[in-house]
Structure formats: C-alpha cells, structure tokens
C-alpha cells in the first residue's frame, strides 16, 4: 500500500483514478480547488478512510504531513470552454502549480506523473503524432494558454529531472471520454449525447470531416497507472486511442444509439482547432504492453447511460 497524492482529484479523470487506486488499497490524498471539477464526483467515497480530500489551489505551496510515495499531477482546466474563460488560471496552474508539485515530489522523494496532453502537438503537421514530434502551436492564439502551460509544465518537469534527479514521467493524454464528464464542459462527446437525448440540433464546428480519436476512461486509467508504476523515467509517453474517426461519424453514431431525431447545425471552426489528431502509441505498446481495449460502441453506451441518469444536470453549450 502506498500513499498517493492526486491533484485535480475531483475532476473527470482524477476521480476515476482515485476509484481505481482505492480499489487497489492505496491511501489517497486529493488536492483540488474545484475550479472545473465537482466535489460530487467523490461523494461515493466520502466515508472511505483511505481518502483524504483537501480544498487547495496548487498555485499556492503546500506541505503534506504524510510521507507521499507517488504524485499524479492531473490538475488543470482541460476543456477549451473552460480554459478560454480562465486563461491566466490555466497558465498559472501549469507553471506555478507544477513547480509546487515538483518541489513536493523532491521533498518527499516521490515519483511524479505529469498529465500532459496531445495539445502540445498543436495543429499537427505530422500524422499520427509520435512522442518525437515537436508540435505546431500558435503561442498567441486563444488555445495557447493551455498548450503553452502544458509545454512549460513538460519542460519544468524535465528540468527537475535533469537538475535534481526527481523521478518523473510524462503522460501525453489524447481525447478521453466517459461517465462523469460535465454535460456542459463543451467537449464533443457530452455535447452530442445531451443534444441527441434532448432531440436538439447537434452542433458541429466546421464541416465535420475533422478527425479525433476517442479513448474510453477505463483504458486511460489503465494506461496512466501502468505508466506510473513502470520504471520509465524522464520520458513522455502518448496515451490515447489510435482509431481515427470523423466528428460527423461520431455524431451519427450517437444519434443512432440514442434513437434521436436531432438534425445537424454546422458552425464556424474555432481558431486554431486542429484538423487531425491521432496518437502513435507504439511506445506505450512496447514499454507498457498497453493499448485501449474498449470499442467505441461499448464506451459510448456507458457514457450515454450516465447522462440519461443525470439528465436533470444537463444544459448544453457550444462545442
Ligand atoms: N479529458 C481529456 O480528454 C484530457 C486530454 C488531455 C489531457 N488531459 C489532462 O488530464 C487532466 C485532467 O483532465 P480532466 O478531463 O479530468 O479535466 P477536469 O477539468 O475534469 O479536471 C481537472 C481538475 O483539476 C482541478 N484544478 C484545476 N486547477 C487547479 C488548481 N490550480 N488547483 C487545484 N485543482 C485545480 C479542477 O478543479 C478539476 O477538478 C488535466 O491535466 C488535462 O490537461 C485530459
């Protein structure tokens, strides 16, 4: 049994990670300021003695009494609709917040996993994206607050590794979906599901031929935990689903699966929205023996079920 600190534990991925680690009998401490996460994501664990939650903004330094063995550094706004509204908080969480967590890791001799993102590749000119690709990011565009925060976080993480020998690893997470996403967080899967369930018009940005790859949450958690508990150090590893699908195809699938009568509305493509996004996961396959196992129908069906059961919270927003 280890003591594991999770930043962003009330968020979508963080809360699933906590479920998994609690099942494996670890002692969990979650730090979250709830800027985009929901405390209710951990309600089912509130009487669990192995979980301690601390309301804390990680841009402020913190000391933890217990000896920490591992840090999953997941805290950051992650949806474009969030980070475009709070760009300064996003940049400070990625920079100062990451520094504070690296200092904590160093102090406790803990291993830190940084949750990075496929967004560090920007609007990629190389397909699929390998870890060796340097990216194509507009440093002043509306998405730069997120992309550059994560690029800085990766650079700082590597600087601690090189300067202090801090035990670190970087997960470059590609689009992940599943239960507990916020219905109004603006990402395509919850948007399309809510619109379909309400028989409202499905809003697609652009003409729908842009592609994404969608990784189901259970597979992502499997990849993140395999990576954390591996002996890989000072390297970045892509974690995502290598199956490419168009946005139109996803919307059609969701419409069919929800028996929806929704029509489709096409909006302008937001500035710097990537046209293609596809991970090369050869490294994760070779080093971790990991690849996603959940097919899109199974993942969507569990996610649709979740939103059906939580319809009262649902309000749609832009994509
Ligand atoms: N979901 C995806 O598809 C995806 C893709 C790529 C990368 N990621 C990364 O994975 C991580 C988790 O993403 P998510 O989808 O669960 O997002 P989320 O918004 O659901 O969760 C992020 C959590 O971090 C917390 N947080 C943000 N700033 C904080 C701060 N300064 N102090 C304390 N807590 C703070 C939020 O309140 C929230 O609970 C993020 O780092 C994100 O960049 C996610």
């Amino acid at each position: 049994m280890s003591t594991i600190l999770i930043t962003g534990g009330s968020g979508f991925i963080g809360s699933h990670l906590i479920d998994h680690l609690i099942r494996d009998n670890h002692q969990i401490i979650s730090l979250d300021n709830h800027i985009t996460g929901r405390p209710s994501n951990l309600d089912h664990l509130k009487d669990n003695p192995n979980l301690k939650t601390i309301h804390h903004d990680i841009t402020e330094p913190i000391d933890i009494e217990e000896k920490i063995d591992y840090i999953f550094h997941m805290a950051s706004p992650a949806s474009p609709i969030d980070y475009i509204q709070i760009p300064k908080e996003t940049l400070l969480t990625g920079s100062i917040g990451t520094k504070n967590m690296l200092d904590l890791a160093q102090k406790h001799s803990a291993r830190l996993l940084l949750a990075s993102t496929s967004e560090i590749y920007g609007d990629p000119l190389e397909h699929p994206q390998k870890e060796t690709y340097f990216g194509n990011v507009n440093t002043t565009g509306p998405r730069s607050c997120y992309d550059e925060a994560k690029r800085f976080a990766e650079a700082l993480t590597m600087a601690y590794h090189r300067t202090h020998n801090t035990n670190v690893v970087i997960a470059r997470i590609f689009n992940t979906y599943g239960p507990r996403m916020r219905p109004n967080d603006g990402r395509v899967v919850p948007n399309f599901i809510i619109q379909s369930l309400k028989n409202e018009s499905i809003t697609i940005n652009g003409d729908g031929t842009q592609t994404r790859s969608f990784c189901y949450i259970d597979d992502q958690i499997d990849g993140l935990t395999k990576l954390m508990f591996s002996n890989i150090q000072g390297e970045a590893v892509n974690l995502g689903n290598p199956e490419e699908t168009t946005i139109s195809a996803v919307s059609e699938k969701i419409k069919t699966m929800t028996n929806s009568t929704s029509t489709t509305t096409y909006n302008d493509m937001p500035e710097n929205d990537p046209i293609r996004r596809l991970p090369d996961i050869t490294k994760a396959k070779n080093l971790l023996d990991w690849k996603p196992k959940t097919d899109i129908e199974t993942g969507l069906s569990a996610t649709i079920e979740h939103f059906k059961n939580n319809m009262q919270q649902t309000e749609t927003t832009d994509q």
Side-chain angles (χ1 to χ4, degrees):
M1 181 173 89
S2 302
T3 301
I4 304 180
L5 182 90
I6 301 192
T7 73
S10 297
F12 161 52
I13 299 183
S15 62
H16 283 280
L17 197 51
I18 290 178
D19 281 343
H20 179 97
L21 296 168
I22 289 264
R23 272 199 298 273
D24 282 353
N25 278 322
H26 295 294
Q27 204 80 43
I28 307 299
I29 300 170
S30 166
L31 297 183
D32 204 301
N33 66 353
H34 305 130
I35 192 164
T36 58
R38 293 179 295 187
S40 60
N41 282 339
L42 296 176
D43 269 359
H44 58 293
L45 294 173
K46 67 176 183 297
D47 297 325
N48 192 307
N50 289 341
L51 173 66
K52 178 170 162 182
T53 56
I54 304 177
H55 189 276
H56 179 76
D57 182 338
I58 59 154
T59 62
E60 298 296 330
I62 186 165
D63 202 4
I64 303 285
E65 233 173 78
E66 296 88 336
K67 162 82 179 73
I68 307 291
D69 302 306
Y70 297 93
I71 300 178
F72 280 94
H73 177 26
M74 310 303 293
S76 169
S79 161
I81 216 166
D82 289 330
Y83 59 70
I84 286 169
Q85 272 172 27
I86 44 171
K88 286 190 298 181
E89 289 83 349
T90 304
L91 279 156
L92 293 175
T93 298
S95 53
I96 312 281
T98 300
K99 177 194 179 295
N100 288 334
M101 291 308 108
L102 285 163
D103 284 338
L104 200 61
Q106 206 197 331
K107 186 168 174 195
H108 286 252
S109 302
R111 172 166 163 86
L112 180 141
L113 178 147
L114 169 70
S116 184
T117 168
S118 56
E119 290 282 335
I120 66 115
Y121 300 122
D123 189 2
L125 304 175
E126 199 180 288
H127 300 283
Q129 292 85 53
K130 288 195 182 75
E131 289 86 351
T132 45
Y133 179 51
F134 293 163
N136 177 40
V137 175
N138 175 356
T139 58
T140 57
R143 301 171 83 99
S144 64
C145 58
Y146 182 62
D147 302 4
E148 293 301 329
K150 291 289 187 181
R151 289 170 70 98
F152 179 88
E154 285 202 9
L156 191 67
T157 299
M158 291 306 296
Y160 269 66
H161 180 63
R162 293 195 180 100
T163 312
H164 305 297
N165 210 20
T166 314
N167 185 344
V168 298
V169 70
I170 297 169
R172 289 193 183 141
I173 302 173
F174 283 65
N175 278 8
T176 300
Y177 73 99
R180 293 195 201 144
M181 292 183 92
R182 288 188 346 258
N184 58 351
D185 90 349
R187 289 181 266 196
V188 282
V189 170
N191 245 21
F192 290 171
I193 292 178
I194 301 301
Q195 289 168 334
S196 296
L197 288 174
K198 291 184 169 178
N199 293 314
E200 288 173 353
S201 186
I202 292 185
T203 47
I204 291 186
N205 293 335
D207 62 6
T209 57
Q210 70 271 33
T211 68
R212 293 293 182 271
S213 63
F214 295 100
C215 182
Y216 187 60
I217 185 69
D218 290 359
D219 291 327
Q220 186 59 247
I221 298 301
D222 186 37
L224 286 168
T225 47
K226 276 194 166 147
L227 183 57
M228 175 59 114
F229 301 121
S230 73
N231 54 14
I232 304 167
Q233 268 199 55
E235 289 189 48
V237 179
N238 286 340
L239 293 176
N241 194 318
E243 234 168 76
E244 189 172 19
T245 165
T246 64
I247 292 291
S248 285
V250 177
S251 78
E252 284 307 316
K253 206 175 277 290
I254 291 174
K255 255 171 61 175
T256 309
M257 290 177 74
T258 52
N259 295 319
S260 175
T261 56
S262 294
T263 53
T264 305
T265 307
Y266 295 91
N267 291 340
D268 288 343
M269 194 81 161
E271 199 182 338
N272 301 139
D273 218 29
I275 300 298
R276 290 185 76 188
R277 196 43 86 55
L278 184 67
D280 181 317
I281 60 162
T282 310
K283 191 170 177 180
K285 273 184 184 160
N286 290 343
L287 297 181
L288 305 172
D289 191 23
W290 175 85
K291 64 174 187 201
K293 295 188 192 115
T294 313
D295 61 61
I296 185 109
E297 284 77 16
T298 308
L300 282 178
S301 157
T303 313
I304 291 168
E305 212 40 48
H306 164 82
F307 283 117
K308 271 189 190 163
N309 295 334
N310 293 278
M311 271 304 266
Q312 71 280 10
Q313 304 172 15
T314 61
E315 334 129 33
T316 50
T317 56
D318 293 331
Q319 202 170 333

